[in-house]
Amino acid sequence: MVLSITGIGITILFSEHKNNISPMDQANAHKYITKIEEIHSDILRLIITKNEMIYKITPEMALKELENRSGKELEIDKSPADVKRLPFDIVRTIAKSPATIAGITPKAAIQELVKRYLSIDLTDSDDVDSSILLEALQHREEQKAIDDWAKNEDAEAVDAFMKEEADRDPSSVANFAYGLKNLEKSHDIALNYMDRYANHAHSDAFDTPNTQKAHKTLIEAIKKLKK
């Protein structure tokens, strides 16, 4: 990835160096940040703390940008970062963080990755609840047809992250997502992951009788997959 220094920032050149960027990012480049100066300072600090390159941004680049910002009040830092505009590498890093980064909680980061992983487009809510998962389950054949993840070079990394998160936390929505995506390939193993989510969902996830009812419906739908 070749980077060009322009003003106070470093512009990621999608067009001239697209071979170094996954097809998913090429297709959805308009959704994601394209300049380092458009990245929330908390994310730059996270890259420095992790001491590794994240989405083509090295700790050295992050540090230089923060030094350029010293003493300045930037618009980008006045509100939380938009998780929907962040590329996979950054969202995954926030998801694995023990604390909120740039106004994004680890849970919100995981849910965003699940939405991308399952090709879920939410307009009214950012929450991936039981009713949303049930809909994804009911339309899984349709979802496979429009699945972008399976075609891009990050597919293995995304799948590995979902399995890692699922293994770490039996109540994580990643269990359901990983199971749903692997139903055709490893049916029994996939169902075990879906069962883990169904049986370990946090009680505080049921804010209303409707959400509890949706979860029960989801459990019944998973049971039918075993027949």
Side-chain angles (χ1 to χ4, degrees):
M1 166 72 71
V2 178
L3 297 164
S4 163
I5 299 178
T6 56
I8 65 168
I10 302 169
T11 302
I12 299 176
L13 302 178
F14 280 98
S15 57
E16 294 181 17
H17 306 280
K18 61 183 179 182
N19 291 333
N20 291 326
I21 303 174
S22 72
M24 185 277 292
D25 280 349
Q26 291 175 37
N28 299 302
H30 64 283
K31 293 183 181 179
Y32 302 116
I33 49 175
T34 57
K35 299 177 182 178
I36 197 170
E37 65 262 29
E38 294 176 9
I39 298 176
H40 198 289
S41 293
D42 285 352
I43 294 175
L44 296 177
R45 295 187 187 99
L46 178 63
I47 293 172
I48 294 169
T49 300
K50 296 288 290 184
N51 196 29
E52 61 185 44
M53 183 169 66
I54 300 176
Y55 195 63
K56 313 299 182 183
I57 301 171
T58 66
E60 292 77 15
M61 291 162 58
L63 179 60
K64 182 175 181 180
E65 173 61 18
L66 285 179
E67 289 173 347
N68 288 337
R69 298 180 182 189
S70 181
K72 301 174 184 176
E73 186 178 12
L74 302 180
E75 286 296 323
I76 193 65
D77 291 336
K78 291 182 180 179
S79 57
D82 183 356
V83 68
K84 296 177 182 177
R85 295 186 65 235
L86 296 175
F88 166 70
D89 282 350
I90 292 178
V91 182
R92 174 178 55 179
T93 304
I94 295 175
K96 298 172 75 171
S97 169
T100 296
I101 303 294
I104 302 170
T105 66
K107 179 182 177 181
I110 290 170
Q111 293 206 340
E112 171 62 22
L113 292 178
V114 166
K115 285 183 283 185
R116 299 184 192 182
Y117 187 56
L118 297 181
S119 301
I120 297 173
D121 183 17
L122 300 182
T123 53
D124 298 331
S125 171
D126 288 333
D127 245 358
V128 180
D129 58 19
S130 294
S131 60
I132 295 297
L133 295 177
L134 181 62
E135 184 176 349
L137 175 60
Q138 292 170 338
H139 295 90
R140 68 184 187 278
E141 293 301 323
E142 175 185 334
Q143 293 292 351
K144 284 196 300 183
I146 61 172
D147 185 6
D148 290 330
W149 288 110
K151 301 174 185 176
N152 83 70
E153 64 196 47
D154 291 325
E156 289 186 11
V158 178
D159 205 58
F161 169 78
M162 287 298 163
K163 186 177 187 305
E164 177 186 344
E165 171 61 17
D167 290 340
R168 183 190 68 80
D169 180 4
S171 69
S172 173
V173 69
N175 285 275
F176 183 90
Y178 181 76
L180 182 58
K181 291 292 284 188
N182 287 277
L183 266 176
E184 303 299 324
K185 184 170 63 175
S186 305
H187 189 80
D188 291 342
I189 293 175
L191 281 176
N192 284 337
Y193 276 98
M194 296 171 82
D195 270 338
R196 275 163 57 91
Y197 174 74
N199 296 323
H200 292 89
H202 291 305
S203 59
D204 61 3
F206 310 129
D207 298 329
T208 68
N210 285 340
T211 56
Q212 189 166 9
K213 180 179 179 181
H215 188 71
K216 288 181 179 179
T217 304
L218 182 64
I219 291 175
E220 290 303 314
I222 293 172
K223 287 180 180 177
K224 290 179 181 178
L225 293 173
K226 299 177 182 180
K227 297 178 180 180

